């Protein structure tokens, strides 16, 4: 069982807040009735770190030094393990872990392993430009689930992915779901197109998306991360809570417990 779990967040802010909300709800639905039933967490909204995607697109400075410094400080106050809320940041996971000396939950590995558990092989992947450019998901699928066929949005649809992610960070997030500028509408269109291209399941490889959009029969990286934090804390059965329904992802995803150190 972990002690204090550290979350390097701020990418995005709303995604990090949603992560905490998913975790709290999963425990409460499972029967938690005291604050002490929930995991101790340190959440660092690292909002001043440079954009991960812009760096990997060659359009901005590196985020790595900032993340290393945050990880060192979180480790120094007792957080272990750590995790990063941003999928794209996992491009540098090994560097950040090595330079900080901290243990990390590897979210990309966990998502790929969760996809493998489903047995579905034609997977639509929705992720940021930088995440796709880095190949971090592609490498993990090749290593851990080579049978999977990854279906990516075409160039035009990928511009809509970027627009949808950006609109989640703006007031457009609060538009009616039918509005063409709303993230719900944008990601609904994207996921439907991927299904038309033959995807059996959609992998949402950007945690921002979960703030405004949930995908039926999809695999959401933010919910996978929440399940890993729950597992690191000892699991939902730790306090022998009465069995109640909780989120499908939290209850069905089996976290491998793989840590990078």
């Amino acid at each position: 069982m972990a002690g204090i779990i550290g979350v390097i967040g701020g990418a995005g802010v709303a995604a990090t807040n949603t992560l905490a909300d998913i975790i709290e709800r999963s425990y409460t639905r499972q029967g938690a009735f005291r604050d002490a039933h929930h995991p101790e967490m340190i959440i660092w909204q690292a909002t001043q770190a440079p954009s991960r995607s812009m760096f990997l697109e060659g359009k901005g400075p590196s985020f790595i030094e900032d993340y290393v410094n945050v990880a060192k400080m979180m480790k120094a106050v007792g957080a272990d393990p750590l995790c990063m809320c941003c999928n794209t940041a996992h491009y540098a996971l090994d560097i950040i872990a090595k330079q900080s000396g901290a243990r990390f939950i590897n979210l990309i590995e966990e998502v790929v392993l969760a996809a493998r558990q489903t047995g579905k092989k034609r997977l639509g992947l929705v992720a940021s430009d930088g995440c796709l450019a880095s190949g971090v998901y592609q490498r993990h699928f090749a290593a851990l689930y080579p049978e999977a066929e990854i279906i990516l949005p075409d160039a035009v649809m990928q511009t809509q992915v970027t627009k949808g992610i950006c609109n989640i960070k703006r007031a457009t997030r609060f538009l009616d779901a039918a509005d063409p500028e709303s993230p719900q509408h944008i990601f609904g269109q994207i996921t439907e197109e991927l299904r038309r291209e033959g995807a059996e399941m959609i992998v949402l490889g950007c945690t921002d998306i979960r703030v405004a959009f949930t995908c039926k029969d999809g695999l959401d990286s933010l919910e996978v991360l929440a399940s890993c934090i729950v597992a690191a804390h000892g699991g939902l059965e730790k306090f022998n809570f009465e069995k109640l329904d909780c989120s499908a992802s939290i209850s069905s995803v089996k976290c491998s417990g793989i840590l990078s150190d």
Side-chain angles (χ1 to χ4, degrees):
M1 186 187 74
I4 301 172
I5 297 163
V7 180
I8 302 178
V13 171
T16 308
N17 293 339
T18 301
L19 173 66
D21 184 61
I22 293 171
I23 294 167
E24 184 278 326
R25 287 173 182 268
S26 71
Y27 276 90
T28 303
R29 285 173 174 155
Q30 194 73 8
F33 56 90
R34 292 180 178 151
D35 294 335
H37 292 159
H38 297 263
E40 290 187 300
M41 299 170 64
I42 297 173
I43 298 175
W44 189 306
Q45 295 279 27
T47 56
Q48 301 310 300
S51 166
R52 285 70 43 211
S53 190
M54 295 291 282
F55 168 64
L56 292 170
E57 294 172 57
K59 299 177 181 177
S62 174
F63 65 93
I64 298 173
E65 183 178 358
D66 290 66
Y67 271 47
V68 169
N69 290 337
V70 170
K72 286 180 177 178
M73 288 185 279
M74 296 185 88
K75 182 186 177 188
V77 296
D80 177 60
L82 307 187
C83 62
M84 297 186 291
C85 194
C86 177
N87 283 264
T88 306
H90 284 72
Y91 158 81
L93 174 62
D94 290 343
I95 299 171
I96 296 166
K98 182 177 180 180
Q99 293 187 8
S100 67
R103 295 193 311 154
F104 278 83
I105 294 168
N106 186 333
L107 175 57
I108 307 297
E109 283 192 7
E110 298 297 348
V111 171
V112 172
L113 292 172
R116 190 174 71 184
Q117 287 174 17
T118 70
K120 296 178 179 178
K121 295 182 179 179
R122 291 177 57 82
L123 308 174
L125 176 60
V126 183
S128 73
D129 290 346
C131 189
L132 295 181
S134 76
V136 63
Y137 261 110
Q138 295 92 320
R139 288 194 299 274
H140 279 79
F141 270 110
L144 299 171
Y145 192 17
E147 302 85 359
E149 177 186 350
I150 307 304
I151 302 171
L152 300 176
D154 62 24
V156 173
M157 195 61 68
Q158 185 61 32
T159 64
Q160 291 298 301
V161 173
T162 301
K163 181 179 181 179
I165 293 170
C166 291
N167 282 8
I168 284 170
K169 300 174 187 288
R170 301 172 177 145
T172 43
R173 179 168 96 227
F174 306 111
L175 292 171
D176 185 87
D179 192 299
E181 294 297 307
S182 76
Q184 297 98 315
H185 178 84
I186 292 170
F187 286 110
Q189 296 288 102
I190 292 166
T191 54
E192 285 305 310
E193 178 62 26
L194 289 172
R195 286 193 176 97
R196 284 193 290 271
E197 293 292 325
E200 300 174 82
M201 184 174 72
I202 308 298
V203 176
L204 297 177
C206 175
T207 53
D208 282 312
I209 298 172
R210 175 61 173 76
V211 174
F213 179 77
T214 54
C215 183
K216 184 179 180 181
D217 300 324
L219 181 62
D220 187 281
S221 58
L222 191 65
E223 297 222 8
V224 171
L225 181 56
S227 74
C228 290
I229 291 172
V230 168
H233 184 236
L236 290 173
E237 291 75 32
K238 174 185 168 188
F239 295 105
N240 296 316
F241 297 147
E242 180 183 356
K243 296 288 186 180
L244 299 174
D245 290 338
C246 62
S247 88
S249 182
I250 290 289
S251 61
S252 63
V253 172
K254 302 301 182 185
C255 203
S256 74
I258 292 176
L259 298 171
S260 174
D261 56 20

